[in-house]
Amino acid sequence: MRPEIRDTPSLEVTVLVSVGRHPLTGRGRRADQDARGVELARGLPEAEVQLLHAGTLNEGSETALRGYLGMGFDALTLLEQPEGADILPALAETLDEASPQLVITGECAERGEGSGLLPYLLAERLGWPTVSGVVAVEGIAAGVATLLQALPRGQRRRLEVRLPAIVSVDGAAPAPRQSAYGPARRGQLAFVPGAVSLDDDWAGWQVQRARKRPKRLKIVKAASARDRFKAAAAKAEGGGGQVLEDVTPEQGAAAIFKLLKDEGVLR
């Protein structure tokens, strides 16, 4: 079912795209959630969709960005930013000047800081509403978008938000189409200069690969498949908690430190 757009002759949509990371090889690729956002935007009738990326261009990132062009676009706008720059001010300034009615992003980047805060910080700076976990745009009428939001356990919630707005796409959104090689190579990367704001805090951080921790398995003793399913689906109850009352900050910190040591978070 295609979304319905009434009283909107031309809907201007900007999709923020980033360079992703393949989970096995670590090579650059389309970011999964960003590609789903592009697919969502392509499904909007009468929409003028623009692709926008803020960052630097090298051999690996160009291949990844051209993957978005291969989804059926003639051009992608590259907002030039040096390595280690804070892209928030430049993005906010560019979007404020372009004034799109809808901005679509992924929920979290696959490279760099990956905090997932960018959509919220952009919305705060622009003064726009923001909705996270979107899986579909069901319709747009009279400047109001009807969105379908993903909730835990496969549930969905229908929301209405007044445009302009920023929405972030959930991993449950429709999968993106494959990238065609010909359009990806023919598409143009339009370079646009932007204000540079260096991120001094990020420059001082030490980054290392996260370690996979083994998941604790709960031993289920059940006589039937029904009992085993109920035990697996039941919400886990914490049994090793400790309530601290009327303690000093030093005693509280010592208890937290001991818990982290016992759980293997700290060594």
Side-chain angles (χ1 to χ4, degrees):
M1 179 179 178
R2 290 173 63 84
E4 180 184 1
I5 299 181
R6 302 191 304 270
D7 303 327
T8 308
S10 179
L11 177 70
E12 295 183 5
V13 180
T14 297
V15 185
L16 305 184
V17 296
S18 62
V19 178
R21 181 191 296 272
H22 193 280
L24 297 179
T25 65
R27 294 179 179 177
R29 63 163 192 175
R30 296 182 302 177
D32 179 68
Q33 291 181 347
D34 293 349
R36 292 175 189 269
V38 175
E39 185 66 31
L40 187 148
R42 281 191 58 88
L44 297 174
E46 304 298 330
E48 295 182 3
V49 182
Q50 303 290 331
L51 305 181
L52 177 62
H53 171 74
T56 57
L57 188 67
N58 52 47
E59 184 178 353
S61 62
E62 181 177 358
T63 302
L65 294 176
R66 287 194 176 277
Y68 297 107
L69 291 171
M71 297 177 68
F73 292 89
D74 296 328
L76 182 150
T77 301
L78 179 63
L79 185 61
E80 293 185 280
Q81 294 287 289
E83 194 73 29
D86 183 2
I87 64 173
L88 176 64
L91 276 178
E93 181 180 343
T94 300
L95 292 175
D96 188 42
E97 292 178 358
S99 298
Q101 294 157 284
L102 184 64
V103 175
I104 301 176
T105 78
E107 288 197 321
C108 185
E110 297 178 1
R111 289 175 177 264
E113 187 174 342
S115 65
L117 291 175
L118 181 63
Y120 303 97
L121 295 175
L122 268 178
E124 180 183 28
R125 190 168 281 222
L126 295 172
W128 296 357
T130 180
V131 180
S132 62
V134 172
V135 295
V137 178
E138 295 189 326
I140 297 177
V144 176
T146 302
L147 310 173
L148 197 63
Q149 184 185 47
L151 297 177
R153 298 179 182 271
Q155 300 180 77
R156 298 290 185 266
R157 175 169 57 187
R158 185 169 286 105
L159 300 172
E160 289 188 349
V161 60
R162 182 163 294 280
L163 302 180
I166 298 177
V167 300
S168 56
V169 178
D170 188 81
R177 67 192 66 194
Q178 290 186 348
S179 178
Y181 179 79
R185 301 310 304 172
R186 290 192 298 268
Q188 300 296 317
L189 297 175
F191 293 85
V192 175
V196 177
S197 177
L198 296 180
D199 191 344
D200 297 329
D201 294 334
W202 168 256
W205 291 0
Q206 181 180 357
V207 181
Q208 64 183 22
R209 293 183 65 89
R211 293 177 299 169
K212 259 192 174 180
R213 300 187 180 276
K215 185 178 180 181
R216 294 181 178 180
L217 299 178
K218 181 174 60 175
I219 299 176
V220 178
K221 296 180 180 179
S224 65
R226 179 175 180 272
D227 293 337
R228 287 195 296 271
F229 177 78
K230 287 179 62 179
K235 191 174 183 181
E237 297 181 359
Q242 179 184 2
V243 179
L244 300 177
E245 296 181 354
D246 299 326
V247 297
T248 64
E250 290 77 11
Q251 292 172 327
I256 294 174
F257 183 76
K258 182 179 182 301
L259 174 64
L260 295 177
K261 293 277 287 185
D262 293 342
E263 293 291 333
V265 178
L266 298 177
R267 295 187 177 184

